[in-house]
Amino acid sequence: MSVVLWGYVKNKILPIVVGKLKVIKQVCRQMPVFVMIRCRGGDFLYNDHEMNVMKSDIEILKPHADGFVTGALNRDGCIDVDKTKELISLCRPLPVTFHRAIDMTCDISQALEDVIALGCERVLTSGGEQTVLEGLLTIKQMINQANSRIVVVPGGGITERNIDRILGELGINEFHCSARRTRQSDMSYQNTAVTMGGTFSPPEFSLKIADTDRIRKILKPS
């Protein structure tokens, strides 16, 4: 079991700060913590400035991380091998997972070969679909294609209600899920006339947190 750490506020990807990583490492002493390296939300086509941001993030976080999750695409929907290689080289000798950018590629089979050639230890995927259940067939094909050259980690819409089916059909040992729930703010005074993220942001006093009960149900022996 491991933790994937990434910043998320109202549909926006945020950089991970060292303080957050240090505290999580103190709390999750028995689990490796992999850090998501992604400078913004949206697509995975990064310019030079964005690449420099992610490189700097890796250098700053590397002394405290157990691994990284990252990747980049070209504008044509193929893996940007050169930029991804740059990021991976900075992550070493720590393990690297290629994230769900692979689900946005134009040819997921070729993308898998590129990721393998880059030397990533894992690839996170929903099989090019919105959820793992929808992408089960493609994920099966990816696992067969990988032939133990890389660990294919299904992720996207996995819950306590479908985990048994997914594990049974894929025959896997690793998967990725968020297991979140919504918690209302403990603020006694709430100014609902203002939102920090813009007019159409989610409620300011509604928080997404990891649900320990859901995690236990997902991890229960089948």
Side-chain angles (χ1 to χ4, degrees), residues 107-155:
D107 185 339
I108 202 167
S109 177
Q110 180 58 53
L112 178 59
E113 292 299 326
D114 291 339
V115 171
I116 292 172
L118 283 164
C120 291
E121 283 78 12
R122 293 173 177 81
V123 58
L124 178 62
T125 182
S126 58
E129 301 291 347
Q130 187 66 27
T131 68
V132 168
L133 283 179
E134 295 171 277
L136 271 178
L137 179 59
T138 298
I139 297 173
K140 285 182 183 179
Q141 294 170 345
M142 293 174 72
I143 292 171
N144 291 334
Q145 178 183 339
N147 193 26
S148 300
R149 293 177 294 164
I150 192 173
V151 178
V152 178
V153 182

Side-chain angles (χ1 to χ4, degrees), residues 72-133:
L73 301 183
N74 286 312
R75 64 177 64 250
D76 63 359
C78 296
I79 303 292
D80 190 323
V81 173
D82 292 336
K83 287 182 177 177
T84 303
K85 185 181 294 184
E86 288 183 58
L87 296 172
I88 291 174
S89 65
L90 288 175
C91 295
R92 296 307 187 194
L94 299 178
V96 177
T97 298
F98 192 94
H99 53 38
R100 285 187 62 199
I102 196 168
D103 293 321
M104 307 302 285
T105 58
C106 58
D107 185 339
I108 202 167
S109 177
Q110 180 58 53
L112 178 59
E113 292 299 326
D114 291 339
V115 171
I116 292 172
L118 283 164
C120 291
E121 283 78 12
R122 293 173 177 81
V123 58
L124 178 62
T125 182
S126 58
E129 301 291 347
Q130 187 66 27
T131 68
V132 168
L133 283 179

Side-chain angles (χ1 to χ4, degrees), residues 11-14 38-44 46 50:
N11 299 319
K12 297 178 182 178
I13 301 296
L14 297 179
R38 189 178 174 193
C39 60
R40 56 166 172 76
D43 62 38
F44 300 93
Y46 301 117
E50 291 168 331

Side-chain angles (χ1 to χ4, degrees), residues 118-204:
L118 283 164
C120 291
E121 283 78 12
R122 293 173 177 81
V123 58
L124 178 62
T125 182
S126 58
E129 301 291 347
Q130 187 66 27
T131 68
V132 168
L133 283 179
E134 295 171 277
L136 271 178
L137 179 59
T138 298
I139 297 173
K140 285 182 183 179
Q141 294 170 345
M142 293 174 72
I143 292 171
N144 291 334
Q145 178 183 339
N147 193 26
S148 300
R149 293 177 294 164
I150 192 173
V151 178
V152 178
V153 182
I158 294 180
T159 71
E160 64 274 22
R161 294 185 295 275
N162 59 31
I163 184 61
D164 288 340
R165 175 186 170 188
I166 290 169
L167 293 178
E169 294 203 26
L170 296 180
I172 54 170
N173 296 317
E174 297 185 30
F175 60 91
H176 172 81
C177 65
S178 60
R180 291 176 294 178
R181 68 176 174 86
T182 300
R183 177 177 71 80
Q184 296 306 310
S185 170
D186 291 330
M187 290 286 294
S188 59
Y189 171 74
Q190 299 183 6
N191 182 3
T192 57
V194 178
T195 57
M196 295 293 106
T199 305
F200 298 103
S201 294
E204 193 67 31

